[in-house]
Amino acid sequence: MTLQNHRAPAAVPQHHRSPVEASSILGAAHVAIVVQGPDGQIVHCNADAERVLGLSREQMLGRDSLDPRWGAITADGATLPGDRHPGPVALRTGEAQLGVTMGIRLPNGKRRWLLVDSDVFEAPGLGTCAVSSFMDITERRRLEAWQALTLNLMDEMGRRAPLESLLLRLVGFVENQLAGARCSVQLLSEDRRRIQASHSPSLPSAYVAALEGLEISPSAGSCGAAASLGKTVIVPDVFNHPNWAPYLFLAEAHGFRACWSEPVFDDEGRPMGTFAVYYDEVREPEPDDLILLRQSASLASLVIQRASAHEDLMLAAALFEQGTESVVVTDAGHRIVRVNRSFERLTGFTSEEVIGRRPPDLHAASPLATQGRSIEEDAESEGHWQGELLLRRKDGAVVPVWLSVVALHGPDGQISHYLRTAVDLRETKAQAERIRQLAFFDPLTRLPNRALVTDRLRQALVSAERRRQPLAVLFIDLNRFKEVNDTLGHDIGDSVLAAVARRFANVVRPDDTLGRLGGDEFIVIADGASEPEATLCAERLMEALAEPIVAQDQPFALGASVGIAMYPGDGQAPEELMKHADIAMYRAKSAGGGFRLYQPEMSSGLGERVALARDLRYALMRGDALSLHYQPQFELATGRLSGAEALIRWNHPTLGPISPASFIPLAEERSMMLDVGEWVLRAACRQLAAWKAQGRALPGRLAINVSAQQLDAPDALARARRTMEAHGIGADEIEMELTESALMRNIDHALAVMRELRDAGIALSIDDFGTGYSSLAYLKRFPVDRLKIDMSFVRDMLSDQNDYAIVGSIVGMARPLRLATVAEGVEHPGQADALRELGCTHAQGYLFGRPVPASEFADRWLPLSPLAPTP
């Protein structure tokens, strides 16, 4: 219904009506209508007005807008004086008041939001009267406010806002929705036996403190019972409920009479806390109160879990699950940057067709907001706008919508985006279908998400069992995609993922299910596929990425690792097949790509490796379990300290120290070496800067190890420069060690990166020289400064003629190329003497010093300069 269609003046004022005629017309109308006499008092109303305004006809007749019992407020929440109600304004000015949003307080204390039209007409015997029509938009306002709250919480969590501030925002929102309520979120202790903390903007601090440490049980008040029983607990009168008998002194001290509590669960169905609503009077919840209570507990669950685990997708999923209306997000310049599926269904436009356009381009009419300003101008100055307008669909049809525009602010307090929510006024019963679409499809790729894929797999397995046919599950993980995200940002990463999805969709069979599980992981359910057909599908998926993907005019060369699990041999339940396909995929990824068929022996020890990889990723994020130890390097001819090597160490919080020989291969297998290498460089630069600030100078350079994955990064030099410059470390203070195997993987690329590093002034060395396959011809091409002789040759060089000869050969190769040599693993004076005689220039090992923490290294090898500042 447009505003023009529900305006009362069309029903009454065009002719002079008698009171009897007006009463008859009002009774036949299907909108809430009230007539006010010249003095502003209500003289007529219809049955719909009694329902919408919450008063009987007898209660309204004779009442005027100045009556404070209306409790009227403006759309912004400010008090609305009686003489500014639309009816009195129309009587005073003689001008129609259209599309006025206002709120009133119902007799039960709740707030109802109304959209009001008022006009004047001449009534015989009465004079000039005002007729007003009211449309109840309370539910619409609630949905808009809920969507804005969810998006704001997602934005704040993306900036790692504290959990307490997030919960206080949620609780404050619910208090605004429930007039007279005081709300709180209680969090349970880790053992889930006691209330550990409460968050509320309105509860007395003494009451909050009294709740801390309260043991939960079926008889412990409302919150303790709800957490213990795992269900809603409603106590309308705490003075007459056995659960509250031990706590009546608290209720009396703080004025509580009613308490409703809803348990807050984690994803595994375990209680994490409760969401509670308190009233100072005896009160039973109404149905919409219970809906709000449960929605709030659900959103609190997502907030709590996201704050503890930083699961970025969780809140986004919640937003889309609750996003029942068309949503458009624009940037600060009002250019569309994202639309949801509801928008596409409403308008017929795809996201690709509207991204970058301005919303007014889609309006059949672009109304003025207030005082001649556009919607966009009003939203900029006031922070919001709402009203009715007409959208033009792609097919030319016009759709009436109620549009709400809310400004979103960035960390600097400036407007960063606008959220535009449009409610289709033609369709009021399509909510369930929209939620289903948003809940089961990935918004980026439009592919089925994990929930829908799992459901389809379950159905396919039932069919396969009935028909006695095979079935294949293929897990696909993209190779080198993380580098795209890390170096070029998530926007380009999203474009690449969407392009990958389109390519995969073109090569799978029409009856196969292609889905996206999240991140860069995809899945295919090949119904009825035999093992040869499954491997053919895997080959086609990998071939689909043979050509680079172009996104925003940039080519990206990706690969894929595919794991295959077959029904019934590899499992008969969805979870089992998906798990085994995942294991096979990781085996393929650790082998450099390709595809692997699941074998039972693949599962051996994988659980421990997966857990260790997860802990390592967490350690890289936190940094507190990782450290660098430093081993000195000496010039053999003079015996002077000539540098040091930084070696990473991991002290696991429960497993204790873990050898690099264990976690470095794991990091390489899981494509984490780029993160490991960057952490090492940051820590090394930070330590060098700290030593210099103390007046301790390290002779020579500090050597750090560089992995093949770092070498493959497209911006290896830029990354290193940013880190070094951030800590004030010069290129002449760092040496990067590269292994032969890393260099030989892609010689031309390695040479190009090495030349860039060398030109920037960073010294290079080849680590573990002699263990790989490089030849003298390659050695001549590598722009390196030093060769490090592997300890496996040094260890037995005095007793094994072959090892002695190899060491001598390496030194002999280096000398004419003017390369220094560093012998690793020197433990005995005889080894040092022999190395010196062969012409080896430098050495490191237990003979000179073990790797030790920074403070111990500095105390032993880096004396304070006489000019160092005194503490």
Side-chain angles (χ1 to χ4, degrees), residues 525-836:
I525 302 172
D527 196 6
S530 62
E531 186 174 302
E533 290 172 320
T535 58
L536 179 59
C537 179
E539 291 172 349
R540 287 175 175 170
L541 291 167
M542 292 186 294
E543 290 172 1
L545 301 179
E547 292 294 326
I549 289 177
V550 178
Q552 298 188 10
D553 299 326
Q554 297 189 60
F556 301 98
L558 303 179
S561 300
V562 185
I564 304 172
M566 300 297 303
Y567 168 85
D570 298 331
Q572 301 185 23
E575 295 77 10
E576 188 178 15
L577 283 169
M578 293 173 72
K579 175 183 176 182
H580 289 165
D582 193 17
I583 291 173
M585 181 273 292
Y586 271 114
R587 292 296 184 183
K589 196 171 187 70
S590 64
F595 71 86
R596 290 289 187 276
L597 290 159
Y598 175 75
Q599 301 295 331
E601 56 269 21
M602 289 181 177
S603 297
S604 176
L606 186 64
E608 293 80 359
R609 292 178 63 79
V610 169
L612 196 62
R614 180 197 61 223
D615 293 346
L616 178 57
R617 194 175 299 278
Y618 184 71
L620 287 168
M621 293 171 57
R622 291 281 304 271
D624 52 358
L626 299 175
S627 63
L628 290 182
H629 283 201
Y630 300 85
Q631 185 172 34
Q633 297 175 341
F634 284 84
E635 188 175 28
L636 285 172
T638 64
R640 291 182 300 192
L641 181 70
S642 61
E645 181 177 3
L647 301 166
I648 188 171
R649 296 293 185 262
W650 181 17
N651 188 20
H652 193 281
T654 57
L655 302 177
I658 297 179
S659 169
S662 297
F663 70 81
I664 292 298
L666 181 64
E668 291 174 339
E669 174 186 317
R670 297 303 175 98
S671 301
M672 297 164 61
M673 284 305 297
L674 188 61
D675 294 332
V676 172
E678 289 192 344
W679 186 93
V680 169
L681 181 57
R682 282 197 306 271
C685 290
R686 188 165 53 245
Q687 187 57 61
L688 282 175
W691 281 337
K692 288 197 292 184
Q694 298 168 6
R696 300 178 187 268
L698 175 69
R701 300 176 184 251
L702 180 61
I704 62 171
N705 292 279
V706 176
S707 69
Q709 292 175 22
Q710 289 176 269
L711 208 59
D712 290 341
D715 59 346
L717 176 59
R719 287 170 176 264
R721 274 180 167 166
R722 284 196 299 268
T723 301
M724 294 164 63
E725 290 173 357
H727 294 85
I729 301 303
D732 59 348
E733 298 178 70
I734 294 293
E735 176 182 303
M736 293 187 175
E737 298 184 0
L738 308 98
T739 63
E740 277 188 278
S741 57
L743 297 175
M744 299 302 290
R745 289 194 344 162
N746 186 338
I747 293 176
D748 291 336
H749 176 72
L751 279 170
V753 175
M754 292 172 72
R755 290 191 184 104
E756 289 182 357
L757 294 171
R758 181 68 178 277
D759 291 344
I762 298 173
L764 303 174
S765 64
I766 299 180
D767 196 14
D768 301 338
F769 189 78
T771 61
Y773 302 97
S774 60
S775 65
L776 181 59
Y778 284 127
L779 187 59
K780 290 169 56 180
R781 298 174 61 189
F782 291 143
V784 297
D785 301 276
R786 304 204 296 182
L787 302 181
K788 299 197 72 174
I789 306 171
D790 188 69
M791 67 174 62
S792 62
F793 304 126
V794 175
R795 184 186 303 113
D796 299 321
M797 64 177 292
L798 298 182
S799 59
D800 188 318
Q801 292 184 350
N802 291 328
D803 285 347
Y804 187 89
I806 290 173
V807 172
S809 297
I810 294 173
V811 173
M813 291 172 61
R815 188 179 297 112
L817 297 175
R818 297 183 180 178
L819 301 180
T821 48
V822 184
E824 297 181 294
V826 179
E827 299 182 356
H828 307 293
Q831 294 170 331
D833 293 339
L835 289 165
R836 190 182 303 106

